[in-house]
Amino acid sequence: MNGGLLVAGTTSDAGKSVVTAGICRWLVRRGVKVAPFKAQNMSLNSFVTREGAEIGRAQAMQAQACRVEPTALMNPVLLKPGGERSSQVVLLGKPVGEMSARGYHGGRQRQLLGTVLDCLAELRGTYDAVICEGAGSPAEINLRRTDIVNMGIARGAGLPVVVVGDIDRGGVFASFFGTVALLAPEDQALVAGFLVNKFRGDVSLLEPGLEMLHGLTGRHTYGVLPFRHGLGIDEEDGLRPAFRSNTALRGTVRESVVAPPVGEDVLRVAVCAVPLMSNFTDVDALAAEPGVVVRFVDRPEELADADLVIVPGTRGTVRALRWLRERGLADAIARRVADGRPVLGICGGFQLLGEHIEDEVESRAGHVDGLGLLPVRVRFAREKTLTRPVGEALGERVEGYEIHHGVAEVTDGEAFLDGCRVGQTWGTHWHGSLESDGFRRAFLREVAAAAGRRFVPAPDTSFAALREEQLDRLGDLIEQHADTDALWRLIESGAPRGLPFIPPGAPA
């Protein structure tokens, strides 16, 4: 078998990542050797593979759904926004420069089509099936000429396409029909059908609409996936506002039912929602702990009752520093430190807690004074650090990953991973460290003691097991609510022949 499928969507956030991961887990449980693929990803939420390549976290989690190691082939192009009009371009896991949106779509993107097709071909030569994820909508007619992630890759590799629509938003029938009708005849020939996502209620009430949709388009609906709390994989878009509670955050485990605390108290964690926030999935492991309440904040008064404040990673360290000062959060954090109350800075958050920053790379702001809360001096290097370190802290083994241009010189304090600790102020470049269960429990015990909370970490929370449980639930969703026999035929044999053309098609 040398099969493939492209999961497209009527919109961004329609559920492409979740459906792709679910199909991957369903296939691997069926004994198929499968891999995920996304030609181009725009995300501030990234991961480092074992060979030191940076890819989107969604593809890393999809690889986990496939029970394989993620590689740069699975996400050959990653765009990391640095603002509304420019992004860092990461090609095959390594940064190759900054580019404006106009410059990228004006020519550079099209030049990469051969590269992404080569990566997909290599994966298809290694695996029985490759499940590809699109981006945004395939009917973005203004971008079709340079498209390498939706119909561009489908046409180039001859992939059948299933379009996912989020019915919870409304207008799903119009979105399905309009998506097909705005594609060129050659593209329409590859769109095999649809998947309805996030349906609430009685499916029988939907069936007349699905029959009419089939009559209008000649295409089947391959399943109606019910709305389920607690489903999702690591989000791609770090630009989306994240002021949400545990039960509303959409990361891998953040919609799980919040278990009662083991001890007498809960532990409250406030995460500063800095601009261009990156790898905010670092707090997922905290939110998975019974009795830990995580919220994202943007006002100083919201830090008052927090037992732990986290300053997370950011693609714009100097910009985040300015934002903290403008909003009064910098002063609130400084008062916490003076009072000996716990603060944790991760990556960019660690850098801005330091004494000063020399940045001629990211913001080109030159010398900038930091918050002066840790004895650290940061210099931005043009070469990006991309590693998967392993170490020890608080007597426990810790694994993490590093993604940063800033090089930290620690001049004092107690060693903490690659950073330092002074009293209850902690700083590290290591993303993902809180996923190490023993270390997370030891850290939370320290925080609880410093905060005067009678909080006790659960002795048996396994973050890795929770991730696996989540991925199995996604596989169950596909197996129980999609026409898996029809999906199998698509993956194995391609789009059905003779699919009708729906006018008007793409504009000339």
Side-chain angles (χ1 to χ4, degrees):
M1 180 181 181
N2 183 17
L5 176 71
L6 175 70
V7 178
T10 56
T11 62
S12 295
D13 207 30
K16 298 182 292 291
S17 297
V18 166
V19 169
T20 300
I23 293 174
C24 287
R25 179 49 61 103
W26 159 63
L27 285 172
V28 80
R29 294 195 306 204
R30 192 168 172 169
V32 177
K33 187 181 179 184
V34 60
F37 179 79
K38 185 162 185 172
Q40 173 193 292
N41 200 344
M42 177 172 280
S43 178
L44 289 172
N45 207 15
S46 57
F47 184 74
V48 179
T49 67
R50 293 207 180 277
E51 69 267 28
E54 185 180 8
I55 66 172
R57 274 195 69 94
Q59 280 60 66
M61 294 303 100
Q62 288 164 354
Q64 187 172 342
C66 298
R67 298 183 179 138
V68 298
E69 273 291 323
T71 72
L73 292 174
M74 297 172 183
N75 179 208
V77 181
L78 173 64
L79 304 178
K80 302 195 72 174
E84 294 185 1
R85 295 189 179 183
S86 67
S87 295
Q88 183 182 66
V89 180
V90 179
L91 180 62
L92 294 173
K94 303 296 182 183
V96 293
E98 296 279 336
M99 189 166 287
S100 69
R102 180 178 292 275
Y104 183 70
H105 290 288
R108 176 61 169 162
Q109 184 182 37
R110 185 67 182 176
Q111 296 170 7
L112 296 173
L113 180 60
T115 299
V116 300
L117 286 172
D118 287 346
C119 291
L120 177 56
E122 187 170 343
L123 287 174
R124 295 184 79 179
T126 305
Y127 292 88
D128 300 328
V130 178
I131 308 303
C132 307
E133 179 187 343
S137 163
E140 291 168 350
I141 54 179
N142 57 315
L143 302 177
R144 176 60 185 92
R145 183 178 61 85
T146 58
D147 171 50
I148 64 170
V149 67
N150 290 305
M151 301 314 299
I153 196 78
R155 181 107 64 97
L159 295 173
V161 180
V162 171
V163 180
V164 178
D166 180 355
I167 197 169
D168 200 46
R169 294 181 173 189
V172 75
F173 293 115
S175 297
F176 282 146
F177 183 87
T179 296
V180 178
L182 280 175
L183 299 179
E186 298 85 354
D187 290 343
Q188 286 194 24
L190 295 172
V191 179
F194 314 106
L195 260 172
V196 177
N197 192 27
K198 298 183 185 177
F199 179 72
R200 306 174 192 249
D202 186 343
V203 176
S204 65
L205 298 176
L206 192 65
E207 287 171 353
L210 299 178
E211 291 172 7
M212 285 186 274
L213 183 66
H214 178 251
L216 288 165
T217 66
R219 289 159 173 84
H220 292 284
T221 297
Y222 286 84
V224 177
L225 309 182
F227 186 97
R228 289 283 188 268
H229 288 287
L231 292 182
I233 63 174
D234 291 0
E235 287 188 40
E236 296 180 352
D237 191 356
L239 297 176
R240 186 178 296 120
F243 311 129
R244 301 182 280 240
S245 66
N246 282 54
T247 55
L249 285 162
R250 291 175 294 170
T252 300
V253 300
R254 285 177 284 175
E255 285 187 357
S256 302
V257 175
V258 179
V262 175
E264 297 179 45
D265 287 343
V266 299
L267 207 63
R268 295 173 177 84
V269 179
V271 184
C272 296
V274 296
L276 299 176
M277 181 166 44
S278 62
N279 290 76
F280 54 91
T281 46
D282 284 332
V283 303
D284 280 1
L286 294 180
E289 281 285 348
V292 176
V293 180
V294 179
R295 66 184 188 272
F296 287 78
V297 304
D298 65 344
R299 294 180 297 180
E301 57 268 27
E302 294 177 295
L303 304 187
D305 67 344
D307 302 306
L308 169 66
V309 168
I310 294 179
V311 187
T314 171
R315 170 85 163 87
T317 303
V318 171
R319 178 176 168 181
L321 187 60
R322 183 170 59 249
W323 181 87
L324 289 171
R325 286 178 168 137
E326 289 172 348
R327 289 182 171 258
L329 285 159
D331 289 339
I333 293 170
R335 287 193 295 270
R336 286 186 63 90
V337 171
D339 293 341
R341 302 176 68 194
V343 174
L344 171 64
I346 302 174
C347 199
F350 164 45
Q351 295 168 8
L352 58 81
L353 291 178
E355 295 169 353
H356 68 253
I357 298 168
E358 292 286 344
D359 181 11
E360 300 292 348
V361 176
E362 190 176 78
S363 68
R364 298 180 175 84
H367 180 96
V368 178
D369 289 334
L371 297 184
L373 304 176
L374 283 175
V376 176
R377 299 166 187 165
V378 176
R379 175 186 54 81
F380 274 67
R382 297 201 175 276
E383 189 76 16
K384 182 184 279 192
T385 297
L386 296 168
T387 63
R388 290 273 293 272
V390 177
E392 184 177 299
L394 303 179
E396 300 286 347
R397 186 176 187 273
V398 188
E399 295 184 25
Y401 57 100
E402 295 187 59
I403 306 170
H404 55 91
H405 283 280
V407 178
E409 178 191 357
V410 178
T411 60
D412 201 352
E414 179 183 346
F416 174 64
L417 301 179
D418 74 325
C420 67
R421 169 191 182 180
V422 176
Q424 289 300 318
T425 306
W426 317 64
T428 178
H429 274 131
W430 290 23
H431 294 290
S433 61
L434 294 167
E435 296 179 18
S436 299
D437 297 329
F439 166 70
R440 182 179 64 254
R441 286 192 276 269
F443 178 69
L444 289 176
R445 281 192 290 269
E446 290 245 1
V447 168
R453 295 285 186 186
R454 289 173 293 183
F455 168 84
V456 178
D460 55 355
T461 301
S462 167
F463 189 73
L466 286 169
R467 279 200 188 281
E468 276 298 301
E469 178 186 319
Q470 186 80 348
L471 293 169
D472 276 333
R473 292 180 67 198
L474 295 178
D476 292 343
L477 193 73
I478 297 299
E479 195 164 323
Q480 295 167 11
H481 299 283
D483 185 344
T484 52
D485 288 341
L487 284 175
W488 178 265
R489 288 193 296 273
L490 271 186
I491 293 167
E492 193 173 37
S493 304
R497 294 187 178 182
L499 291 169
F501 171 72
I502 309 301

